[in-house]
Amino acid sequence: MLGAIEAGGTKFVLAVGPSPDAITARHTIPTRDPATTLAEAAAWLGSHGPLTGLGIGSFGPVELDHASPEWGFITTTPKPGWAGTDVARHLARSLGGVPVGFDTDVNAAALAEHIARGGAEGGSLAYITIGTGIGGGLVLDGRPVHGMAHPEVGHIYPRRHPNDRDFAGTCPHHGDCLEGLASGPAVMARWGASLSELGADHAAHAIIADYVAQACHVLFASVAVEEVVIGGGVAQTPGLVERIAARARELDAGYLPGGARHRIIAPRLGTESGITGAMLLAQGAAAGA
Ligand code: ZN
């Protein structure tokens, strides 16, 4: 039996099952203080029999370097109480020494989307989530990318849209980075409503699509992914992913090698990418990968 956790800032989604495509039970708990939340997660997972592997896709920033004594920790998050929290090793101990696979929530989702489209060895894609914040995970040549820590695609600086010059942005670190301009709170701060609530002809749609399209273009041009998968609550706004794809084609102007093979799409797994990715991490851990 495999166990999985999609660890988010507001909720933890827990799941168990014999394989990543066969989740047999799931449970959601609110994210409270670390001790309470991790104890609740361990109790539920432990009640489903001994696990052979546990996968965790976590909000971050997180430590992914296996050589670090803080591997598996949430590191510098502004979320109260969670900075410096040992998640992976703590849960491994609580669950009888189960092998743990640990990655960012968005890398887990990217891995799941990669597998969902066939998992080709040389395949590459990015997964961006647009919600309360903006995060991005990368699978290049079939493997999740960590780099020095992990990518933070949400914090690149897009060129400002001509009809959106004055908004200072909501990112506490950068102001008008991508997250500060295009996350759910940034939409709310400018227009007092979500994109879905604003009519489809509202100027906000084109502005947000432009910023996200710029990020997609950066990913196509810098790391040569074939596909950008766009998930998260804001991305469920009807028509938004199509607008982003159309704007990215305009921005590229026919230059990039590979041309029409580049795709910007909604998640193949809908809202299941994150927890499925955590199951895949569990499978990898159980296999000793
Ligand atoms: Zn930022």
Side-chain angles (χ1 to χ4, degrees):
M1 186 68 93
L2 304 171
I5 302 176
E6 184 182 10
T10 56
K11 63 180 181 181
F12 273 40
V13 179
L14 315 173
V16 293
S19 71
D21 55 2
I23 290 174
T24 50
R26 69 171 68 209
H27 183 55
T28 300
I29 59 175
T31 307
R32 293 192 278 250
D33 64 280
T36 307
T37 311
L38 296 178
E40 264 190 79
W44 186 85
L45 290 164
S47 73
H48 288 80
L51 302 177
T52 53
L54 173 66
I56 305 167
S58 178
F59 72 99
V62 294
E63 179 58 76
L64 299 176
D65 179 359
H66 278 273
S68 166
E70 298 201 333
W71 172 82
F73 280 45
I74 291 172
T75 55
T76 56
T77 179
K79 189 169 174 58
W82 282 84
T85 296
D86 175 1
V87 174
R89 288 188 168 116
H90 178 89
L91 286 168
R93 281 194 301 275
S94 304
L95 292 164
V98 63
V100 176
F102 183 79
D103 212 321
T104 63
D105 46 4
V106 281
N107 263 356
L111 182 62
E113 288 291 325
H114 169 66
I115 298 299
R117 67 172 183 144
E121 203 149 287
S124 61
L125 63 74
Y127 179 93
I128 296 181
T129 177
I130 312 174
T132 313
I134 296 183
L138 275 176
V139 169
L140 291 184
D141 297 332
R143 305 185 76 86
V145 170
H146 296 155
M148 194 190 71
H150 46 79
E152 285 285 357
V153 175
H155 296 272
I156 63 172
Y157 288 98
R159 180 171 62 185
R160 295 298 296 261
H161 189 281
N163 299 332
D164 187 44
R165 293 248 186 252
D166 300 329
F167 179 58
T170 58
C171 178
H173 305 284
H174 312 120
D176 62 348
C177 68
L178 180 63
E179 178 173 301
L181 290 172
S183 62
V187 170
M188 194 59 75
R190 293 220 239 2
W191 296 295
S194 70
L195 276 187
S196 299
E197 291 161 350
L198 299 165
D201 52 352
H202 193 284
H205 291 262
I207 292 170
I208 298 306
D210 176 58
Y211 291 139
V212 180
Q214 290 187 56
C216 294
H217 184 73
V218 166
L219 290 162
F220 290 140
S222 60
V223 289
V225 291
E226 300 153 29
E227 197 170 83
V228 181
V229 180
I230 303 187
V234 174
Q236 290 169 36
T237 306
L240 185 67
V241 171
E242 292 78 6
R243 272 181 197 266
I244 294 166
R247 182 61 185 142
R249 276 193 299 277
E250 285 175 8
L251 290 170
D252 174 48
Y255 173 75
L256 285 171
R261 298 216 314 274
H262 292 100
R263 285 185 303 274
I264 295 172
I265 60 168
R268 288 179 174 81
L269 298 170
T271 56
E272 292 288 291
S273 315
I275 194 67
T276 304
M279 288 290 281
L280 287 163
L281 294 173
Q283 187 179 49

Short mmCIF file of all heavy atoms in Angstrom, two decimals, residues 198-205 243:
data_model
loop_
_atom_site.label_atom_id
_atom_site.label_comp_id
_atom_site.label_asym_id
_atom_site.label_seq_id
_atom_site.Cartn_x
_atom_site.Cartn_y
_atom_site.Cartn_z
N LEU A 198 -15.62 38.46 -13.17
CA LEU A 198 -15.58 39.54 -14.15
C LEU A 198 -16.04 38.96 -15.49
O LEU A 198 -15.76 37.82 -15.80
CB LEU A 198 -14.15 40.07 -14.29
CG LEU A 198 -13.55 40.67 -13.02
CD1 LEU A 198 -12.04 40.82 -13.16
CD2 LEU A 198 -14.20 42.01 -12.68
N GLY A 199 -16.77 39.69 -16.25
CA GLY A 199 -17.29 39.17 -17.52
C GLY A 199 -16.15 38.76 -18.45
O GLY A 199 -15.02 39.25 -18.33
N ALA A 200 -16.47 37.87 -19.39
CA ALA A 200 -15.44 37.35 -20.30
C ALA A 200 -14.84 38.44 -21.16
O ALA A 200 -13.74 38.29 -21.70
CB ALA A 200 -16.03 36.25 -21.18
N ASP A 201 -15.55 39.59 -21.31
CA ASP A 201 -15.03 40.67 -22.14
C ASP A 201 -14.28 41.72 -21.30
O ASP A 201 -13.84 42.74 -21.83
CB ASP A 201 -16.17 41.33 -22.94
CG ASP A 201 -17.33 41.75 -22.05
OD1 ASP A 201 -17.31 41.39 -20.85
OD2 ASP A 201 -18.25 42.42 -22.55
N HIS A 202 -14.13 41.46 -20.00
CA HIS A 202 -13.40 42.40 -19.14
C HIS A 202 -11.92 42.41 -19.51
O HIS A 202 -11.34 41.36 -19.80
CB HIS A 202 -13.59 41.99 -17.68
CG HIS A 202 -13.15 43.04 -16.70
ND1 HIS A 202 -11.83 43.29 -16.42
CD2 HIS A 202 -13.86 43.91 -15.94
CE1 HIS A 202 -11.74 44.26 -15.52
NE2 HIS A 202 -12.96 44.66 -15.22
N ALA A 203 -11.33 43.59 -19.47
CA ALA A 203 -9.92 43.74 -19.86
C ALA A 203 -8.97 42.88 -19.02
O ALA A 203 -7.86 42.56 -19.47
CB ALA A 203 -9.51 45.20 -19.76
N ALA A 204 -9.40 42.52 -17.82
CA ALA A 204 -8.53 41.74 -16.93
C ALA A 204 -8.08 40.43 -17.57
O ALA A 204 -6.95 39.98 -17.35
CB ALA A 204 -9.27 41.45 -15.62
N HIS A 205 -8.95 39.80 -18.34
CA HIS A 205 -8.61 38.50 -18.92
C HIS A 205 -7.39 38.60 -19.84
O HIS A 205 -6.49 37.78 -19.78
CB HIS A 205 -9.81 37.92 -19.70
CG HIS A 205 -10.95 37.51 -18.81
ND1 HIS A 205 -11.15 36.22 -18.40
CD2 HIS A 205 -11.93 38.24 -18.24
CE1 HIS A 205 -12.21 36.16 -17.62
NE2 HIS A 205 -12.71 37.38 -17.50
N ARG A 243 -6.78 31.62 -24.06
CA ARG A 243 -6.26 32.98 -24.26
C ARG A 243 -4.75 33.03 -24.05
O ARG A 243 -4.03 33.72 -24.78
CB ARG A 243 -6.87 33.94 -23.21
CG ARG A 243 -8.17 34.58 -23.61
CD ARG A 243 -8.58 35.50 -22.44
NE ARG A 243 -9.97 35.87 -22.52
CZ ARG A 243 -10.41 36.99 -23.10
NH1 ARG A 243 -9.57 37.84 -23.63
NH2 ARG A 243 -11.70 37.27 -23.12
#
